[in-house]
Structures are given as structure tokens and as C-alpha cells.
Amino acid sequence: MSNSIKNLTLKIWRQLGPTVKGAFETYNVDEISDEASFLEMLDYLNERLISDGKEAIVFDHDCREGICGTCSLMIDGQAHGPQRGTATCQLHMRKFSDGDSIVIEPFRAAAFPIIRDLMVDRSKFDRIIESGGFITAPTGGAPDANLIAIPKPVSDAAMDSAQCIGCGACVAACPNGAANLFTGAKVAHLNRLPQGQPERFKRVESMVETMDEYFGSCTNHGECEGACPKEISVDVIALLNKDYRKAKFASRKDLAR
Amino acid sequence: MSLTEDLLAQNTVQLNSKIPLGSIEDKWDNYKADMKLVNRNNKRKFKVIVVGTGLAGASAAATLAELGYQVDSFTFHDSPRRAHSIAAQGGINAAKNYQGDGDSVNRLFHDTVKGGDFRARESNVHRLAQVSVNIIDQMVAQGVPFAREYGGLLDNRSFGGAQVSRTFYARGQTGQQLLLGAYQQLARQIGLGGVRLFNRTEFLDVVTVDGRTAGIVTRDLVTGEIESHAAHAVVLATGGYGNVFFLSTNAMSCNVTAAWRAHRKGALFANPCYTQIHPTCIPQSDEFQSKLTLMSESLRNDGRVWVPKNPNETRPAHEVAESDRDYYLERLYPSYGNLAPRDISSRAAKRLVDKGQGVGPLKNGVYLDFNEVIARLGHDVVQERYGNLFEMYERIAGENPYDMPMRIYPASHYTMGGLWVDYELQTNIPGLYAAGEANFSDHGANRLGASALMQGLADGYFVLPYTIGNELAPLLGKTIPGVDHPEFKKAEQAARDQYNGYLNIKGTRSPDWFHRELGKIIWDRCGMERDEQGLQQALSDLPALYEEFKTDLRVTGDGMSLNQTLEKAGRVDDFFQLGMLMCRDALSRQESCGGHFRTEHQTDEGEAKRDDENYCHVSAWQWGGDAMSPNLNVEPLEFEAIHLATRSYK
């Protein structure tokens, strides 16, 4: 049977808008089931705030299955909280104990301005994908799916990095606010596949340059990998850098071969 | 005279399904040969609005923009990549016959019609089966990393309701990979300027002028601003209404608002009582629970479902002797076994739990056991196939499924009903289309596993881009109403009044509280099993609770800034009205079929008993001015290619 966790102290960041000064507010949760998820604990708190006539705490969330990438939160200074390889929505209260004090903040990065409370604007990620994170394959002209055999290890490696959920934990965890893990994951997914070869170098060039417009630079701290709910390896950053260097130094005509 | 004919004579709306002439195999080709085209250079003169960026919406918006139309794409998420298609786990069907096990377009067509318990429109389903093969080609070309064999060719697995292996998958994240594929194609068009994206923008109303779609009214979720957008055509790809149950496997913000408000503007809502309860979800653990999590149906390929024979069994699962276990799906449905379709598996689980044979602390689940496959193939093979699902289960339930069987129980998952559409996916309002789960089109009374992804992408990539042109071609050179038209102003004002109304009630209960109470009524009375008395009860309880909603709702904050409580209020309001229609529809359909099981109509063995004489029709409801007085319209279903038969999986 489920047990309950008692006397939680929550210090939660409240901020009305991007240009308004924010501050921590303290809330107590007397008792919550250890079967509850972290976000269900916030739902419960919000219900109480509404019944007290106060405004609910704003936070992004949707699927609650760890796949849509909508949820965020810095929990005690860690993006998505203490459990490795787990998005906030999949974090459960059984990971906490009676009397714990928990600090809850939004993802903080220059490229992710705060919209309200714990909600941030991550649309710069979309700008990176729009600049090259795709394979140009207009609807209708595709050849038979089994025409090109793709070695299983290649396909598996592409899948490993394609798992990125675009949550932004990598950026939030990075002391530089860099988006190299996010960008590298998409580049590694597409550049590894035979279908991705024709645009391989154009892709990496435009994605890196778009990324550099908004985000900080990578200095190999590796915090991103530790925070990633999909445990995407920093190896993708090596691949990103390798392809970017190649794109910059070699002749485009040679690369196309 | 049958009831269908009787009802048909009383239709209040002329329903033309526009099924093309010719044999079932030729209909789609005939349609494409006869349809009107818009010249490439003229396409940019047309504006198409696509609401929703899931599989259907993203693929439609991207493809329409590739063709040259001006497209405006709307999502209430922060990014188009968040749509709930992303959470689909198991796979996508296609009649490729790569396994050489006897699959074909015709067989996929048959399986889908039979799986839907003969309550879908044959012509639409056949087209779906036809284009299924193009979807796989398209997605592979876009770089979707489907699972492969060691030789480098695509791998397949089996899903419920099929005896062939036709399901393509990307680990347990097929929906994610397909959605990201479609999203990337959409992103490319956004980058090229072919699509304008409106994120964090919620659809509130469709605007019609002289009976034709003129555009939409939206609310900017960040600023609260209400705005109008004019277009030549509007596509609603806004998903299903499974969250009417409150607890479901849908994402938290999935809602019926877009479809419902179109319904209130005159679009017919078809078969709302056809809802799918998925058999393999993690059982509810306590009262706090905000949603339920699905465990992919693909697990039933290798997992065996059982309960202890003794209701008072106290031993842990692995200590229960083989002879004391009831592998009830294998016993009741030997030819499909653990892969019996969803509705059948769900009801079987419910009956055992109701008899007290449930497992787990709340005795509200059944076991899904992998012991046998782990012994046969080894831990590593099982991890390769289902690793991420096992991890997800462990995170949520706190138990390791390699050692302990999973506990599962049915939960609301998908809704087959939706906006009525014709063969062109156009609603009865000219210029308004519905695609993906938002329409009622292809799954009849029950959807087979791995067919939702197929339908979403079929609609968006391979159907709408053709059929919309047919509607737009005659509009060339004609001016359409702009956003300063009085109808837009009227709709904007109505939306402002509605949201200010919620803020002004100043009652005592939150929108979530009402949603939870609404969900309990719908689950108890209009869930896995329904009966006349329960539905009548719901139809008296719901209006009472709705009245309370309108007088005792409390929404804190204001309307001119980001306010999630206010957003929720609007969605719950629409769920109330839909819930009443669902119960009305379930009450009027006095037969059992697929996901709609009326306890009064079952065989001696407890299986669904259809009444083809009187109910072989689509029930399409017209808004009658308030939620309790809809008008029933019917579209008779004719089966020419497939013989109407009892659906048996024994």
C-alpha cells in the first residue's frame, strides 16, 4: 500500500512576467502519497491555492509520460530533479522523505526567457530545427522503404540520438547555457543515416550557426549528459564538431561526393 | 421498415458522403482522376489554416505548404513537437507484406473493418489501407529510424486484431519518431516561409459566413488576446476527447474544444459513444492521480495475461503455481490469445476484477507476465524489445517487471467518434475539414492497435492535400470575408464574454474539481459497459453538475495574462456538453458494437451483439441549441466489398 510523505517545505519561484522581478515563495505540503508524481504534488498545491483564492503556480507539462518534453523545472538545482534519466513528470514522491525542503525554479538560460513562474520560452530550439534539422523529402516522391538497407548498428545509433525530447534540460544544466547536446543529437540522428547524406554538411553548418545566435558556447563540462532525461551521450557533440569542421574546411563539391 | 430507414427519413441535415463511383479498389483512383486541380501558381492565392500539429496536422500543414498554399499552423503547445501523437508507443500498420506472411491492402482493409465491428465507412477504410504503404516510404525517406533486421531491412511486429506481422516500430517510441519526422518537415516549411506558426495559441471558434467557413478565432495563451484569422479553408486536426473521463492516457491538455465549438457552429458530431478503453495501462494507485499511463499493446506480443484462479490468493505472483493461474485470454480466445483486440481484452479484465480476482494492493489490475519469454529468449532480447517500457513501468509503479509481472488495467485511451466528415474529410460545413482522431472516419466502433498513427499520417500526407484542392479550385478569383467582417467580430465578442464569464462566477470549486467529478460519472455510466438505467442516470446527473459548474466555478487570476486555470475552465465546459451527447448517443444505440457495449445486448457468452437490421448506420448529431437537445441524423452504412459478419476472435 502507498505510504505518505509529511511536512514538505517547497520554495517555489514566482514571477509575473518576463520583465517583472521574481522571488521565491514558501509553501508547505503537509502530506502527500509517495505514489504521487512530483507534478501531481504541484497539482495538489495548486488546488489548495485556488481554494484559498490565490493564483495557481504556472508550469509547463503535458503528457506526463516523459516523452513530450513539455515539463521542465530545476529541482534543488538539478534539471528534472535528482533521478537520473528521468523527466520531472516521471519523478515520483517516493524519492523524497518526510521533512524535506525542495527548491523549485524554472530552467534558467539567457535563451529561455521566463514567461511566468516556472514556465519558460524554449522556442529557440524550434529555430535551430527550422534552419536544417530535417531531410528534404517532400511528400509523394519517396522510393520503397526497403530500397536502402541500413545496417542495424547505424539505425540503432541514429535512434539513440533521435530520442531527444527537446525539453531543454541540457541548456539549463550547462554553465554556459549551450545547446550543443540538443543540436548534436539531431545532427547525429540525421547525419548518420544514408538518407541524411546529401544535406549532411549544409545541415550542420546552418544548425550550428543558428544555435550560436541564441545560445552560449560549449566548453565540455558534460553537465548536459547528466541532466538529459534520455541520457543522450556527449558523443553527439563530438560528431557535431567533427562535421562542422569538415563543412567549414573542405570544398563543398568534394563533400557532395 | 428498419430503424435506420426510419431515422433517415427524419434527418435534419442533408448528409452526402461523396463516395466515388467504381469498385472499392478503384474509388480513390477514380476520385483523383476526376478531382479539380489548382494550378501551382494559383495555390499561393489560397490561405489554409491548420489547427493542431500532431501527426495529422503537422503532415497536412507541411504538405499543403510544399504544394504552394499559404498555411497558418496553430498549436496551444509551446512547440509543434509536443502534440500527443508523440506518446504513441507501439507502432504503425502498413500493408507492405515485407514478412511474406500473406498481408495485402485487401487484408488490412478487412482487418480494419472487422476490427471496427462493421461500423466504419468501407470506402474511407479501403483508401486508408491503400495509402498505408506510402506512409512507410515517406517516413523512411525523412529519416525515421524504424527498427531493422541485421540485414538492414525493416523489422515488423504483430498487433492485436491481426494475424500478420505488419506493424513498423521504433523501439517503444514510434509515435515520437513519426511525430518528429512530420514536425521536421513542418519546421522546414516554417523556415522557408511557407507556413506561419502560431504557438501557445488556442483555437476558440470557427467563423462561418453564408454557411461557408471563413476563418477562426483564437486566444493567445500568453497575453490573453483574442484574435481572428481568415482563410479559404480550415483543417481541425485537434485530436480526440478521451479526457472527458478525466483519468485517461491522454496528455493533460488534450481536449475537445476545437471539435466541440465547430459542432456548435453546425458541424455534425458522429458516434460520440465510440470510445476505446485500452487494456494495458498501469492501474490507478491513489486519489491524487492526474492521469494514467499506457503500457504499449506491443507488450502483448510476448507478455501473457493472467489472474490467480483463487480470488483470495495471497502469494506473490511468482509463487503462484501454473495450475493456479487463469491465462484467461488464451483460454477464451485461443486463435488470437493475448493479442485479442482491445475492447475484448478490456472487458475480459474488467469482469475478472469485478469478480474479485484482481491483483495488486487495490485489487484493481491483472498480471502481464514476461517470465515465459525471458526464459525462452533471455533477458537481453526482452530488454532490446521493450527496455524503455520496462523502465517506464518501474519508475511509475516502483516494481521491476523483469522479476515481477506488470499489473495492468484498462483505461480510456482513444476516441473513434468525432466530427462527421465525408470522403474528402470535409465536415458538413463547406471549407471545414477534420483529420486524424478529430474525425470519426476510419475506425468504426473500435480501433485496432497501430492504426491511429497510420490514419493521422494518411489524412495529413495523402488525403487532404488532394481533397482540399477540389474544394478550393472553384474559389479562384473570388474574394473571401476578411477579419473585419461582423461575423468575426461577433465570435470574438462571444469568446471574450465566455472567458470573462468564468472569471466572474467567483464560486468555490476549481475547474479540475469539476473535471474529476464529471469524469467519474462518465466512467461509471458510459465507460466499458453501459446500460439504459445508468445512462438515464448520467443524463440527469450531468446537467445538475453542469449547473453547479456554471454557478460555483472559481477561476483565480485574470483574463489578460497567462492563466492555466482559465484555459482549463473553457475546456471543462466543453467536456460537460460533450459528455451529455456521449450518453445520449450511447442510450440511443441499442446494440453492442466494438467499444460500445450495452449489457442488455450481449450473446450468451458475453460478447457484443450487434443489431445490423436497425443500427448499421453512423449517428451524426446536430447541435440543437443546448447540450441536452441534439438532433439525430443518420448515414446508413453499406457493405459491398465485405460481408457483414459476427466479429469473432475465438
Side-chain angles (χ1 to χ4, degrees), chain A residues 33 40 47 51 54 59-60 62-65 94 126 133 137 139 144-145 150 160 163 186 189 195, chain B residues 63 66 77 79 98 137-138 140 143 171 173 176 183-184 252-253 286 290-291 395-396 510 554 564:
Chain A
S33 158
E40 281 163 1
E47 283 294 287
S51 79
K54 294 182 182 142
F59 61 96
D60 262 324
D62 197 28
C63 77
R64 302 211 174 181
E65 296 179 16
R94 66 177 80 91
D126 290 323
T139 308
D144 186 85
I150 303 178
D160 286 341
Q163 291 189 80
K186 188 44 65 191
H189 161 209
Q195 307 94 300
Chain B
T63 306
E66 281 165 8
H77 290 108
S79 162
Y98 281 164
D137 298 342
Q138 181 62 32
V140 166
R171 293 192 192 148
Q173 290 132 281
Q176 181 200 24
Y183 155 72
Q184 284 162 206
M252 299 300 283
S253 51
D286 60 37
S290 61
K291 72 154 277 169
R395 272 196 292 270
I396 294 169
S510 72
R554 172 180 286 185
Q564 291 172 316

Side-chain angles (χ1 to χ4, degrees), chain B residues 1-306:
Chain B
M1 210 154 93
S2 76
L3 182 65
T4 303
E5 287 162 347
D6 247 2
L7 292 169
L8 185 62
Q10 297 166 30
N11 272 5
T12 52
V13 178
Q14 191 73 30
L15 286 180
N16 179 3
S17 50
K18 296 193 212 150
I19 300 170
L21 295 174
S23 70
I24 192 89
E25 292 82 10
D26 294 335
K27 285 183 192 295
W28 182 228
D29 289 338
N30 291 347
Y31 177 86
K32 288 191 286 186
D34 292 342
M35 69 182 183
K36 297 182 212 72
L37 293 172
V38 180
N39 177 310
R40 176 109 207 167
N41 291 328
N42 285 330
K43 286 201 175 84
R44 64 171 176 267
K45 296 173 186 159
F46 292 105
K47 161 78 62 78
V48 181
I49 283 174
V50 181
V51 187
T53 59
L55 287 178
S59 57
T63 306
L64 289 165
E66 281 165 8
L67 289 170
Y69 294 107
Q70 294 176 53
V71 178
D72 283 354
S73 161
F74 292 82
T75 173
F76 58 58
H77 290 108
D78 65 329
S79 162
R81 65 183 291 154
R82 311 287 186 212
H84 196 54
S85 308
I86 206 158
Q89 298 168 355
I92 176 166
N93 287 330
K96 280 288 199 185
N97 194 31
Y98 281 164
Q99 305 303 320
D101 55 1
D103 199 8
S104 62
V105 165
N106 209 33
R107 193 171 288 274
L108 175 56
F109 164 58
H110 270 254
D111 285 350
T112 309
V113 169
K114 178 185 170 191
D117 219 352
F118 303 90
R119 288 295 175 264
R121 193 190 288 145
E122 254 189 357
S123 54
N124 288 49
V125 179
H126 193 274
R127 175 180 61 193
L128 174 69
Q130 277 177 294
V131 304
S132 70
V133 297
N134 305 112
I135 296 171
I136 302 303
D137 298 342
Q138 181 62 32
M139 299 321 283
V140 166
Q142 282 171 27
V144 169
F146 283 120
R148 288 179 183 267
E149 304 276 9
Y150 278 97
L153 301 182
L154 291 159
D155 190 19
N156 289 112
R157 59 185 171 206
S158 305
F159 251 63
Q163 288 177 311
V164 295
S165 215
R166 63 159 75 98
T167 305
F168 295 79
Y169 66 101
R171 293 192 192 148
Q173 290 132 281
T174 317
Q176 181 200 24
Q177 293 310 311
L178 293 174
L179 181 68
L180 292 181
Y183 155 72
Q184 284 162 206
Q185 208 174 349
L186 174 64
R188 175 169 168 264
Q189 287 302 320
I190 295 169
L192 292 171
V195 175
R196 286 195 305 170
L197 175 71
F198 295 79
N199 67 337
R200 293 200 195 269
T201 305
E202 180 159 29
F203 170 100
L204 294 186
D205 211 350
V206 62
V207 176
T208 58
V209 174
D210 302 329
R212 207 186 170 284
T213 306
I216 65 172
V217 170
T218 60
R219 180 169 182 271
D220 182 322
L221 297 182
V222 178
T223 63
E225 201 162 325
I226 286 170
E227 280 181 324
S228 290
H229 308 263
H232 292 83
V234 172
V235 177
L236 299 182
T238 48
Y241 50 87
N243 266 350
V244 67
F245 291 98
F246 184 71
L247 280 180
S248 84
T249 66
N250 284 189
M252 299 300 283
S253 51
C254 291
N255 65 74
V256 73
T257 289
W260 191 254
R261 296 195 185 167
H263 172 61
R264 294 187 47 162
K265 278 290 171 77
L268 300 191
F269 206 103
N271 302 331
C273 79
Y274 292 165
T275 55
Q276 182 166 73
I277 308 297
H278 197 293
T280 54
C281 304
I282 304 177
Q284 189 178 358
S285 61
D286 60 37
E287 265 289 305
F288 292 109
Q289 196 133 347
S290 61
K291 72 154 277 169
L292 297 169
T293 302
L294 176 78
M295 286 283 108
S296 168
E297 176 164 314
S298 63
L299 292 166
R300 291 199 279 144
N301 267 294
D302 289 309
R304 298 179 70 197
V305 179
W306 65 278

Side-chain angles (χ1 to χ4, degrees), chain A residues 79-155:
Chain A
H80 291 304
Q83 193 177 359
R84 211 177 157 89
T86 303
T88 295
C89 66
Q90 295 279 281
L91 180 64
H92 280 68
M93 294 314 292
R94 66 177 80 91
K95 297 284 166 188
F96 296 88
S97 316
D98 288 353
D100 275 0
S101 175
I102 309 172
V103 179
I104 307 171
E105 293 171 85
F107 278 180
R108 294 194 191 275
F112 291 167
I114 291 176
I115 295 174
R116 188 168 181 149
D117 294 342
L118 304 170
M119 180 186 277
V120 299
D121 175 3
R122 290 166 288 188
S123 55
K124 299 297 182 289
F125 270 6
D126 290 323
R127 303 294 93 77
I128 296 178
I129 300 295
E130 287 157 16
S131 73
F134 47 76
I135 289 172
T136 300
T139 308
D144 186 85
N146 257 347
L147 192 68
I148 308 173
I150 303 178
K152 186 167 160 44
V154 172
S155 175

Side-chain angles (χ1 to χ4, degrees), chain A residues 71-89:
Chain A
C71 67
S72 54
L73 304 188
M74 292 301 271
I75 300 167
D76 286 336
Q78 284 179 287
H80 291 304
Q83 193 177 359
R84 211 177 157 89
T86 303
T88 295
C89 66

